[in-house]
Amino acid sequence: MSIAKSILAILLCYTMILPGFGQQMPTTRMLTTDAPTTMVERFTYNYRAHGVRKISFEDSPRLEKLIRAGIIYLSLRDAIALALENNLDLEYARINPKLSEANLLRASAGALLRNVSNNVSSGPSSASLGVTAGSSLGSSSSGGGSSGTGGVLSGLNVQLAGSAIPNLDPTLFVSSQTVHSTSPQTSTFVSGTNFLVTTYHTASYGVQQGFMTGTSVGLSMGNTLGYRQNSPNNDFNPVTNSNLALSVQQNLLQGFRPSVNKRAIIVAKNQRNISDLTFKNQVMSTVNNVASLYWDLVSFNEGLKVKQQTLELNTKLYTDNKRRAELGAIAPIDIIQAEAEMKSSQQDVTTSELQVQQQEMILKNVLTRSGMDDLAIANARIVPTDHFEVPAQEPIRPIQDLIVEAVQNRPDVIQNQIGLEDSRITMRGTKDALLPTLNAFVNMSNNALAGQVNTLPRATTLPNGSPGFVTRGPGDVNGFFLGGYGSVLSQLFGRNFPNYSAGFSLNVPIRNRAAQADLITDELNYRQSEIQDKQLHNNIKLNVVNARMALANARAAYDTSVEARKLEDQTLAGARRKYELGTSTILDVVLIQRDATARQLAETNALNSYIHARLNLDNVLARTLEVYSVDIEEAKTGQVKRQPDLIPAVVQQEAERRLPLNGLRR
């Protein structure tokens, strides 16, 4: 019964420390798509590959709800919602927090941290008018966000400096072998034979693990089973011997203290927070980019309307002049001038139409996952349903309040602070590496041996003095060692043959130059990080001041352009009246018409500049998500709960009338 209890105790000890029952299981299941259900799956879970969620490149159903007869009626709120659901930059950024979770899992095992990118994509720019090609599509740009750690080699953030981090995952080892050996002997005195034949089986197993305190513990058991020799001088043949050993090693100087050994885990947790902040920063950047592209499309449409109105006026002027020339009221040269202006207006309209279409393509690429794969979406036209309302008066806030708001809300400020904290944590290990290595160790082991009486006859001298052979019996050997594996276990747990050892080892580097250089390097890098943090705060203050001034200037320019456009409209009306009365030339009308068109376009551009100045101020103050009521949790899941906005009837009627008229619908 005692033997059965001993075997059961060993099995329970090993079962408790087997991998698969540790704390990493819930984290692994959170990162993967499968979960163990049976006992066998739980046991083999950590030794099998697990899939992660696949990325879907299908667009959200919201897009279909916004399409009417080949036209996408799009409000700014719906544009932002589509970006949260479909934008690939956001989908890419959603993976980074999971990578940080995997990094934390890796650090929990005492392994080196891998590098996780924290770059933020600013998105594509709007279509621009070209000189030869008409228009050019916007390009995408990105800004980098530092993760707070450096040194990349094949995707690994290699920690070459500082104290080594212990392996925190328990490691189970098992080995077994079968041996048959034949050894020629120079004398029969010891073995009783000139060739010693030995056969046996070995089975060794154990577990070892490191701890945060700098402690390493190993528990192992070695067994030699069926040890058999052809030597008649052995009292027992075959025999079984076992050894149960416990070893404990403790770092007393370098590598001592949990604060040093768990620094990678703390850094990994900080990196997870940085990934969350990076995702928030990406959401802000994407929403700001979508708003910019949307209002640019509105501005381009307004500019197209101005040029279309100019074309209509020039066409009417050409038609009127042609009729008047037929009556002999004006010279033929007036017809040529009017026709030239009409053709020039047609070219302007064609160029603006191309710019509008390219802007729609850029916006659709940002708001969809399929891009141009879906022909229905590729051929659909976008009709913005929102118009920017300029406030009657700009709110006045002290510049100091705006700076405080920016510093408190901007994610990159918090990221920098976490990066500085990571540098300080990393320096703990570098400072600790300055210490000598002093290890104290304790080893305890129990030995056991049991076997059967050797039945081989042993050479001896008979009582009459003549040589002979005798066979041993149970009374000729120590009966304590008679038995099988049960007797071995009984001796082990009875501690009949214990061994003890304790000691220490000290390793002192005489000059310690490498550790000194590592610490100096880390401290200098930390000083550079402090400088970069100060530069960030200074840049934020400068950007807030510049954004505030730019908004004020843009508002003043817009107000001036509105007044100038109104005066130019009055001037154009007077010039046309004079021309109709014969007191003005066609050239005067053409010049004033050009000025009127330029004033209208200037007003449109001034409004667009004002909108961008406000977007920039909101972005600098990190209140983009607040302004557009973006829920960061919905952004994380990529599912926006609210329904699409209703399509204004006036906008729908105008779109259905205008697009076929200009030949823009397919």
Side-chain angles (χ1 to χ4, degrees):
M1 191 64 170
S2 60
I3 297 176
K5 289 182 179 180
S6 301
I7 297 175
L8 181 60
I10 295 176
L11 294 177
L12 289 177
C13 290
Y14 282 114
T15 301
M16 291 176 64
I17 55 180
L18 275 176
F21 295 89
Q23 296 181 352
Q24 71 270 28
M25 280 284 290
T27 307
T28 306
R29 288 203 296 265
M30 181 180 66
L31 294 173
T32 57
T33 56
D34 59 344
T37 56
T38 65
M39 191 64 180
V40 175
E41 290 180 351
R42 289 191 182 95
F43 182 79
T44 61
Y45 185 82
N46 289 338
Y47 313 104
R48 293 182 287 109
H50 308 286
V52 297
R53 182 178 64 88
K54 294 183 177 180
I55 302 299
S56 172
F57 294 102
E58 295 183 359
D59 296 320
S60 62
R62 182 183 303 272
L63 190 59
E64 296 181 358
K65 298 178 181 179
L66 297 174
I67 299 180
R68 297 287 189 278
I71 301 175
I72 302 175
Y73 294 93
L74 191 64
S75 66
L76 180 57
R77 292 207 313 164
D78 284 331
I80 293 175
L82 286 173
L84 296 180
E85 294 174 343
N86 300 322
N87 186 266
L88 292 180
D89 285 336
L90 287 181
E91 188 64 27
Y92 182 90
R94 289 187 185 101
I95 298 178
N96 282 340
K98 298 179 181 179
L99 289 173
S100 297
E101 287 286 349
N103 224 13
L104 177 58
L105 179 63
R106 183 178 176 84
S108 301
L112 300 178
L113 296 179
R114 300 188 64 170
N115 219 34
V116 178
S117 173
N118 287 307
N119 291 333
V120 175
S121 173
S122 59
S125 56
S126 294
S128 58
L129 290 175
V131 178
T132 57
S135 300
S136 61
L137 291 177
S139 60
S140 179
S141 60
S142 63
S146 175
S147 62
T149 55
V152 181
L153 178 63
S154 301
L156 291 179
N157 180 21
V158 183
Q159 300 170 346
L160 297 178
S163 304
I165 297 176
N167 184 9
L168 302 176
D169 273 358
T171 301
L172 176 67
F173 58 89
V174 178
S175 65
S176 177
Q177 66 174 340
T178 300
V179 177
H180 176 93
S181 66
T182 303
S183 302
Q185 305 293 309
T186 59
S187 172
T188 62
F189 180 75
V190 176
S191 61
T193 180
N194 290 116
F195 58 96
L196 183 63
V197 178
T198 305
T199 59
Y200 60 90
H201 305 278
T202 64
S204 301
Y205 49 93
V207 65
Q208 57 188 14
Q209 183 179 4
F211 296 90
M212 290 293 185
T213 56
T215 308
S216 298
V217 178
L219 177 64
S220 62
M221 186 172 184
N223 300 278
T224 301
L225 308 174
Y227 189 89
R228 185 185 300 272
Q229 289 183 326
N230 64 338
S231 172
N233 293 342
N234 295 338
D235 288 340
F236 301 94
N237 192 30
V239 296
T240 297
N241 60 68
S242 294
N243 174 274
L244 180 62
L246 174 66
S247 62
V248 180
Q249 179 175 303
Q250 176 65 56
N251 295 329
L252 298 179
L253 291 177
Q254 187 181 134
F256 178 63
R257 300 185 313 277
S259 60
V260 172
N261 294 319
K262 69 178 181 180
R263 63 187 188 275
I265 296 178
I266 299 176
V267 170
K269 291 180 179 179
N270 288 341
Q271 293 303 301
R272 182 177 58 184
N273 295 335
I274 286 180
S275 293
D276 292 336
L277 292 170
T278 302
F279 178 76
K280 182 179 179 180
N281 211 357
Q282 181 63 66
V283 175
M284 292 171 55
S285 177
T286 300
V287 170
N288 184 74
N289 181 242
V290 169
S292 177
L293 295 175
Y294 184 89
W295 291 122
D296 280 345
L297 178 59
V298 172
S299 178
F300 294 162
N301 277 322
E302 292 298 323
L304 176 60
K305 289 180 182 179
V306 171
K307 295 177 181 179
Q308 289 172 343
Q309 292 172 0
T310 302
L311 175 61
E312 292 174 359
L313 292 175
N314 288 335
T315 302
K316 183 177 183 300
L317 180 61
Y318 169 73
T319 304
D320 292 344
N321 285 355
K322 189 176 181 180
R323 185 172 60 254
R324 295 173 67 184
E326 292 174 353
L327 298 176
I330 60 174
I333 190 63
D334 292 343
I335 301 177
I336 297 176
Q337 290 178 339
E339 184 177 7
E341 284 300 308
M342 181 183 67
K343 295 299 183 181
S344 178
S345 299
Q346 288 177 347
Q347 179 62 37
D348 291 340
V349 169
T350 301
T351 303
S352 294
E353 287 176 348
L354 179 59
Q355 185 184 28
V356 169
Q357 292 185 52
Q358 288 185 335
Q359 184 69 10
E360 292 177 7
M361 298 294 285
I362 294 172
L363 190 56
K364 283 187 284 188
N365 190 54
V366 171
L367 303 183
T368 63
R369 296 183 180 225
S370 58
M372 301 298 105
D373 295 339
D374 192 340
L375 294 180
I377 297 177
N379 295 329
R381 300 302 306 274
I382 296 179
V383 174
T385 60
D386 287 344
H387 297 278
F388 193 86
E389 298 293 337
V390 179
Q393 186 176 3
E394 295 296 325
I396 300 176
R397 292 185 58 190
I399 194 68
Q400 295 82 357
D401 294 348
L402 296 179
I403 292 175
V404 171
E405 179 182 354
V407 172
Q408 290 178 347
N409 295 338
R410 286 185 56 143
D412 49 354
V413 175
I414 306 176
Q415 284 178 292
N416 260 29
Q417 295 300 320
I418 296 177
L420 289 173
E421 181 186 355
D422 287 346
S423 298
R424 291 191 294 267
I425 293 172
T426 303
M427 277 195 293
R428 293 179 188 172
T430 313
K431 291 180 180 178
D432 188 73
L434 292 172
L435 300 174
T437 302
L438 176 60
N439 296 326
F441 58 87
V442 175
N443 297 320
M444 297 177 291
S445 63
N446 296 331
N447 301 311
L449 184 144
Q452 305 299 321
V453 176
N454 192 351
T455 58
L456 295 177
R458 180 181 58 177
T460 185
T461 302
L462 298 176
N464 58 8
S466 62
F469 295 90
V470 296
T471 302
R472 295 181 184 86
D476 298 326
V477 298
N478 190 339
F480 183 79
F481 295 102
L482 289 175
Y485 194 69
S487 300
V488 169
L489 293 178
S490 178
Q491 294 176 19
L492 285 178
F493 288 94
R495 303 177 64 242
N496 298 111
F497 307 101
N499 293 336
Y500 303 99
S501 65
F504 71 92
S505 63
L506 177 64
N507 185 1
V508 182
I510 301 301
R511 303 184 67 178
N512 213 17
R513 291 181 293 180
Q516 290 285 352
D518 289 336
L519 180 58
I520 293 173
T521 301
D522 283 354
E523 288 183 341
L524 292 176
N525 289 334
Y526 180 74
R527 298 294 177 248
Q528 288 182 331
S529 299
E530 288 183 319
I531 295 173
Q532 291 176 342
D533 184 66
K534 182 60 177 178
Q535 287 177 327
L536 176 63
H537 283 76
N538 292 342
N539 290 335
I540 289 175
K541 296 175 184 178
L542 179 62
N543 291 337
V544 170
V545 174
N546 289 339
R548 172 80 175 274
M549 294 174 57
L551 180 62
N553 292 336
R555 178 57 187 265
Y558 172 72
D559 293 338
T560 303
S561 66
V562 171
E563 296 298 327
R565 189 262 307 163
K566 292 180 180 178
L567 294 174
E568 195 64 36
D569 288 344
Q570 296 176 7
T571 303
L572 177 61
R576 286 184 177 277
R577 181 61 179 168
K578 289 181 180 181
Y579 179 72
E580 292 173 355
L581 296 176
T583 60
S584 179
T585 65
I586 182 63
L587 182 60
D588 295 333
V589 176
V590 169
L591 293 177
I592 296 176
Q593 175 64 55
R594 290 178 182 176
D595 291 340
T597 301
R599 293 297 182 187
Q600 289 178 318
L601 292 176
E603 180 184 352
T604 302
N605 293 333
L607 177 60
N608 190 36
S609 298
Y610 172 79
I611 294 173
H612 279 276
R614 179 159 293 282
L615 290 175
N616 184 47
L617 180 60
D618 291 337
N619 188 48
V620 169
L621 297 177
R623 59 186 185 191
T624 301
L625 303 185
E626 178 184 355
V627 170
Y628 297 106
S629 302
V630 176
D631 188 349
I632 193 65
E633 295 301 325
E634 291 183 345
K636 290 180 179 180
T637 59
Q639 298 177 352
V640 181
K641 298 178 182 179
R642 69 171 191 82
Q643 295 298 316
D645 292 334
L646 297 177
I647 302 174
V650 177
V651 175
Q652 186 173 0
Q653 293 173 1
E654 173 65 18
E656 293 175 351
R657 179 193 66 79
R658 180 173 58 87
L659 292 181
L661 177 65
N662 297 314
L664 298 181
R665 277 180 72 188
R666 297 182 181 180

